[in-house]
Amino acid sequence: MNWTSLRRIIICLFLATITACESIQAEETSKPAQKNLAGDAYGQLSDQGKTRTYYIYTPKSYNPSRPMPLVLVFHGDDGSGHSMADVSRFNTIAEQKGFIVVYPDGINHKWSLRGKSQTKVNDVSFVSALINHIQQVRNIDSSRIYATGFSKGAILTQALACELPDKIAAFASVAGALPVRYRSHCQPQAPVSMLMINGTNDQEVHYQGDDSTERGSLISIKDTVNFWRSHDQCQSPLQAQPISEDDKSDHFQVKTARYNGCIGNSEILQLAVVDGGHFWPGGASQDPQVKQVNNQLGFSASEAIWDFFQRHNLSSSTTVVEKR
């Protein structure tokens, strides 16, 4: 073998080594390590010309190949998604029970139900867009999407029940009620499963309702419950305890009224905290008085909400509610 032939062999071996290395490098580049989605994260999307943000918690049991339920939790005025997570403690329940929880942020820490408000957004439309967005970044069970909220977030939840019952399987309203202006035109074409949790001594969301002429007025808790009972064509209460604000022996007790026999397997459940105020029962709080009430109650709104939610999903049936 002469020098020319040997040099050709050396060059070929050298080029083959480079090609092999480049091939290995290309393969590593094309197969990036999969990101672990479990735990806390923050996200954003564009809606109605604005950048919207949210806080999301994904449990360790999440598997991208299997759909998981989604719970949306809405804060009250001046709150945030993360503060609502701290108060409600839904992350702990999500980890235990296996669901994804999302805490959206209102613009300027508030929610808007009108497109012509100062913020010029409609948060009902935003929630619809948010659901679509979350379905793109997580594997969501579309038949098991739920919504709950506190105070103004609960009022938003009531509005969602009016307008998005085709996307959301059940609703839970804590320290909220149905707005007066929604009552006349709220005619969802599907049954609505609604849980109402209210304190009978709430000084911000009045148990007996507001003067209907006031701006942003709410109907009473009783009328809100009866509105949804009527919509779902529920029969007489299967289980009920009378609610008496004057019964001091039942101080800080939770009274229950459950209405079954409703169309489409829907359900209306009312939980009244006798003498309770404007708070999230069983939630975290720095207020000594709220802590004392929670200790006396021994009741977790978040656990009750998830128990309620897991009984409901969007049926594959085509049950339609006749217009009243």
Side-chain angles (χ1 to χ4, degrees):
M1 180 182 296
N2 57 33
W3 169 246
T4 301
S5 298
L6 181 60
R7 191 171 74 173
R8 286 177 180 173
I9 292 173
I10 293 172
I11 291 173
C12 288
L13 290 172
F14 178 71
L15 291 174
T17 302
I18 292 176
T19 302
C21 290
E22 288 177 346
S23 177
I24 292 172
Q25 185 177 10
E27 184 177 359
E28 290 174 347
T29 303
S30 64
K31 293 182 179 180
Q34 185 174 354
K35 182 181 179 181
N36 184 6
L37 297 176
D40 303 75
Y42 295 88
Q44 64 181 39
L45 68 153
S46 178
D47 178 68
Q48 300 173 64
K50 294 184 179 293
T51 298
R52 303 301 300 267
T53 58
Y54 61 89
Y55 164 57
I56 181 172
Y57 184 82
T58 306
K60 295 182 180 67
S61 58
Y62 175 71
N63 184 333
S65 65
R66 292 200 301 266
M68 185 169 268
L70 168 66
V71 175
L72 302 170
V73 187
F74 302 97
H75 62 75
D77 275 355
D78 301 322
S80 68
H82 204 283
S83 70
M84 193 63 218
D86 292 340
V87 170
S88 67
R89 298 169 172 165
F90 258 117
N91 289 2
T92 301
I93 302 174
E95 188 63 51
Q96 294 171 349
K97 304 297 183 180
F99 60 88
I100 294 167
V101 57
V102 170
Y103 307 86
D105 296 310
I107 294 178
N108 298 323
H109 306 284
K110 298 184 184 299
W111 300 112
S112 170
L113 306 182
R114 307 186 185 197
K116 295 182 179 180
S117 67
Q118 292 180 349
T119 58
K120 297 183 179 178
V121 298
N122 183 322
D123 276 321
V124 172
S125 297
F126 159 63
V127 172
S128 182
L130 175 64
I131 290 173
N132 294 339
H133 168 78
I134 299 298
Q135 288 173 323
Q136 294 174 1
V137 298
R138 297 291 188 278
N139 190 354
I140 300 300
D141 184 345
S142 297
S143 70
R144 302 185 67 197
I145 298 174
Y146 308 102
T148 184
F150 171 72
S151 191
K152 192 62 180 288
I155 296 170
L156 173 59
T157 299
Q158 295 278 341
L160 293 173
C162 292
E163 302 194 35
L164 295 181
D166 58 327
K167 281 193 169 187
I168 301 175
F171 306 83
S173 169
V174 181
L178 188 69
V180 169
R181 68 181 184 85
Y182 257 81
R183 186 177 192 174
S184 60
H185 69 263
C186 178
Q187 297 184 350
Q189 297 303 295
V192 169
S193 290
M194 175 67 73
L195 166 60
M196 299 275 298
I197 302 177
N198 295 86
T200 63
N201 195 33
D202 191 330
Q203 298 301 305
E204 296 186 44
V205 175
H206 302 126
Y207 203 83
Q208 300 304 324
D210 301 319
D211 183 339
S212 61
T213 62
E214 295 178 0
R215 183 178 180 182
S217 59
L218 305 173
I219 67 176
S220 71
I221 306 308
K222 178 180 178 181
D223 286 347
T224 301
V225 170
N226 286 336
F227 175 89
W228 292 117
R229 283 180 60 195
S230 175
H231 170 76
D232 290 343
Q233 302 171 27
C234 300
Q235 305 301 315
S236 299
L238 178 66
Q239 176 185 350
Q241 295 176 330
I243 300 168
S244 172
E245 298 177 59
D246 298 324
D247 189 352
K248 297 304 179 182
S249 65
D250 285 335
H251 191 58
F252 294 137
Q253 293 289 315
V254 179
K255 297 295 187 69
T256 303
R258 176 178 285 109
Y259 303 92
N260 291 20
C262 312
I263 60 174
N265 296 316
S266 57
E267 175 190 8
I268 306 301
L269 177 61
Q270 180 190 9
L271 302 178
V273 182
V274 178
D275 280 345
H278 193 72
F279 75 122
W280 185 280
S285 176
Q286 300 302 316
D287 187 327
Q289 186 174 0
V290 173
K291 287 183 177 180
Q292 181 181 2
V293 172
N294 279 329
N295 288 336
Q296 290 186 38
L297 276 176
F299 167 74
S300 167
S302 299
E303 291 180 2
I305 289 168
W306 176 246
D307 287 344
F308 179 78
F309 283 166
Q310 64 183 346
R311 295 200 293 267
H312 301 283
N313 57 67
L314 290 179
S315 173
S316 58
S317 67
T318 56
T319 301
V320 176
V321 177
E322 295 182 2
K323 289 185 179 181
R324 296 186 297 273

